[in-house]
Amino acid sequence: LLETHLRIDWVYAEATQPGFESIGPQQELIPPPPEEMAILYDLALQGNLRGIQERATRLEQLNEKYRPFASELQQLARGFEDKALIALIQRYTEER
């Protein structure tokens, strides 16, 4: 109905385009050291999404193996998913 009444054409993006990366089963999430996890947890509890994004960028630069975890943090922070961020950090903190 929207398409008809507003005379718009829907454009569907394919998941293979840049910017649509997702963590798949082939990419294992390797969390950073406990000190970094504690910092991330504090930032998440404060709701400091910008701080989490900055820390995730730092993690990517620290070691390539943290890239999938940092990417997941970035995605959740950009989507304002503060509860999901806290849950992710807690899950990987408890697994250690």
Side-chain angles (χ1 to χ4, degrees):
L1 284 173
L2 287 174
E3 185 176 25
T4 304
H5 292 291
L6 297 177
R7 297 179 189 189
I8 57 174
D9 292 321
W10 297 107
V11 177
Y12 297 95
E14 294 183 27
T16 57
Q17 291 181 347
F20 286 93
E21 301 93 19
S22 65
I23 302 299
Q26 71 279 7
Q27 291 181 316
E28 182 182 356
L29 294 182
I30 300 171
E35 311 83 55
E36 287 292 328
M37 293 298 285
I39 293 168
L40 288 168
Y41 187 68
D42 287 341
L43 290 170
L45 286 179
Q46 295 170 17
N48 187 344
L49 300 178
R50 179 172 289 166
I52 289 175
Q53 288 179 321
E54 291 169 0
R55 209 68 191 185
T57 300
R58 183 180 179 283
L59 286 176
E60 289 176 333
Q61 296 167 352
L62 184 65
N63 193 322
E64 181 73 23
K65 69 181 181 180
Y66 301 136
R67 185 173 298 266
F69 188 83
S71 214
E72 186 72 11
L73 289 173
Q74 292 274 11
Q75 184 179 4
L76 291 172
R78 278 193 297 266
F80 302 99
E81 300 284 341
D82 54 340
K83 290 179 183 175
L85 273 165
I86 292 170
L88 175 72
I89 295 166
Q90 283 177 335
R91 179 177 34 177
Y92 282 92
T93 301
E94 291 169 0
E95 286 182 3
R96 291 186 170 221

